[in-house]
Amino acid sequence: MGITANSRTTSTVADYARSGLWLLASRAAWTLALVAAGSAAQAGDWTITPSVQLSEIYTSNVRLAPSGSAKSDLITEAAPSVKVRGKGSRLKLDAEYRLQGLLYANESSLNHVYQQLSGKASSELVRDYLFMDADANIGQQPLNPATTFEGTSLAGSGTQTNVYTYRLSPYIRHDFGGVVTALGRYTHYVTRYGQSGISNATGNRAELNLASGQRFRRLTWNASYYNDRLARENADNVDNESAAGTVRYGLTNSWGVMARVGYEHHKFTTTNDRGYNNGSYWAGGFSWMPNRHLSIDALYGDRYKSVDAQWAPTSRTALRVNWVKRDVGLNPGRNWNGSFSLKTRHTTWDASYVEDTASYQQLVGLGTFYVDPVTGQVYATPPNNVFTQPIDLFVPTNEVFTRKRGQASVGVHTHRTDAMITAYSERRNYLVSLTSQRVFGLSGTWNWRFATRTTLLLGANARRTRFLDTSQKDDLWYVLTGLRRSISTKADVSLTYRYARLNSSVASNDYRENRVTLTLNKTF
């Protein structure tokens, strides 16, 4: 079982080298290394863990073709990887590099080797003052997420694109004698794609946040500023600038008055009247905080109105709702944002709603979207545990867009059971073509360790994608079941079966697939 050299693989590696993407990959690796080197002299715990994943995969429809054109195949996967973790008093590093090779028994033209990298580093360069964050990622992402789930396509490089990102972010955080607390950050971020038509981009973002320190009692204030410049190789640039300041004076322990002024300046290509409006605004209002669990701020003024409510009745419960009506800034008009979280002994409950305006390269480059290099799944933030659910991504685009997304999830965690259900709805409006898409999704996973070394795996995922400017509708779903058994403390084996189906109003998109996967994971 292994990967053998062939003309396709050799060409892929050569093209990768000639394209200059290896420069980005090496720069990303060096970025992480330099941050680590800045604190390498300090004592800490360091681990280097090599591992390998070997799989045999049977698929009844290797190219996800319509009925009557489906072809089966047997695929050998070999994926060696190395994970490096380090933690000291002033440094934290977590990086993994993986080389995934796929060898097809019948469709040899699909043989491919993919590089995958996930790395994050943070360091305190000057104690209590200067810090550095860095991260780098190399992964693969579907070109048309409406027709396949992330991390599940074996149809080859024509159905997905390589995504290369790295980000370097030094920042200053300091309390100046209880008078001013300051956070100043500069972020340089780069995104590169292996697929033509998606613009490579380089961004530079400067942020400054100042707030009154502990010496201020009744009178408090804060000021913020950011400037984000995104240069794109074969698409128009995106420039965003915003400044705001708020002053608050406490009349009593519960009531206060407040004022806010701000300025917005944006520039990008749009044919939508609600793309952006530039200018300044001001507003005045009140704040009410009857106890430490509840607070409400309300503002009313020229070109700006808002209400912000926060409620945290317990340390494990938090609710925030924000409404704003503005005549300047991104996506002017009425906008809502909110979040809810609740944790109990065995459950976690989360819900959120967001309305924002962004470009695809900014979301990926700044880490708002995170492409898992191993699975290809796309997350709202880097995943912290096995219960993190992927978000849905639309086709990668050079257009700026607005998005409205609501999501809710509940997880159950016991000694033997881990389960999660997630539902979401997202609408995206593109600001040049004026097209719109909407996605509804529901997913669930259940892992039950019914024996000491054996776990039952169950999963399901359903997604409906509607193209609102046409009649196209895609219904994509799968169900999965399997077993995973621990052979030793450093090895496990799993056997899974998955049935996937796409029903589309475009008949040529329809497909069905049965897949059986036998996998051995071994760490050294």
Side-chain angles (χ1 to χ4, degrees), residues 155-311:
S157 58
T159 63
Q160 57 189 6
T161 179
N162 291 317
V163 182
Y164 308 82
T165 69
Y166 86 89
R167 182 167 63 250
L168 185 65
S169 183
Y171 64 99
I172 294 172
R173 185 180 63 207
H174 193 67
D175 184 343
F176 293 90
V179 178
V180 179
T181 60
L183 173 62
R185 181 186 288 270
Y186 166 75
T187 303
H188 176 72
Y189 59 98
V190 175
T191 60
R192 294 288 185 268
Y193 299 90
Q195 179 75 17
S196 61
I198 308 172
S199 180
N200 297 329
T202 299
N204 293 281
R205 183 182 179 98
E207 299 172 85
L208 179 62
N209 291 276
L210 303 174
S212 54
Q214 296 180 351
R215 292 190 179 184
F216 287 83
R217 299 296 183 182
R218 289 190 176 275
L219 178 66
T220 60
W221 56 270
N222 64 74
S224 62
Y225 172 82
Y226 85 88
N227 187 311
D228 194 323
R229 307 294 186 191
L230 182 71
R232 301 192 290 184
E233 291 182 359
N234 54 356
D236 292 338
N237 296 341
V238 179
D239 296 335
N240 293 301
E241 184 179 28
S242 176
T246 303
V247 177
R248 188 188 314 260
Y249 182 78
L251 300 174
T252 67
N253 290 334
S254 300
W255 291 91
V257 293
M258 54 189 299
R260 180 182 176 90
V261 296
Y263 171 78
E264 300 274 347
H265 186 272
H266 308 277
K267 183 180 180 181
F268 52 82
T269 301
T270 176
T271 55
N272 187 306
D273 293 339
R274 289 194 61 183
Y276 63 84
N277 281 331
N278 294 329
S280 59
Y281 64 88
W282 62 264
F286 69 89
S287 62
W288 180 52
M289 188 174 178
N291 53 59
R292 61 186 180 89
H293 303 296
L294 176 65
S295 65
I296 297 176
D297 293 342
L299 290 167
Y300 184 94
D302 179 50
R303 312 179 81 183
Y304 187 90
K305 305 169 184 63
S306 71
V307 178
D308 186 85
Q310 300 184 59
W311 183 49

Side-chain angles (χ1 to χ4, degrees), residues 2-3 9 12-13 52-55 57 75-81 97-104 110-117 138-140 151-154 160 162 372-376 515:
I3 301 300
T9 301
T12 299
V13 175
V52 64
Q53 176 179 300
L54 303 174
S55 299
I57 307 168
I75 306 159
T76 298
E77 178 190 38
S81 64
Y97 175 79
R98 186 174 187 260
L99 196 66
Q100 180 192 34
L102 297 174
L103 181 65
Y104 293 72
L110 296 179
N111 293 351
H112 209 87
V113 176
Y114 296 103
Q115 299 198 66
Q116 297 155 353
L117 170 70
I138 303 174
Q140 290 75 46
T152 64
S153 175
L154 297 171
Q160 57 189 6
N162 291 317
D372 188 295
V374 176
T375 66
R515 184 183 301 185

Side-chain angles (χ1 to χ4, degrees), residues 83-94:
K83 182 179 295 185
V84 180
R85 287 183 174 177
K87 186 176 183 180
S89 60
R90 297 168 62 186
L91 170 69
K92 185 176 181 180
L93 173 67
D94 192 344

Side-chain angles (χ1 to χ4, degrees), residues 339-343 348-352 407-411 420-421 423:
S339 63
F340 170 78
S341 64
L342 170 65
K343 295 182 179 180
T348 58
W349 304 75
D350 291 284
S352 62
Q407 177 170 313
S409 64
V410 56
M420 171 162 277
I421 297 176

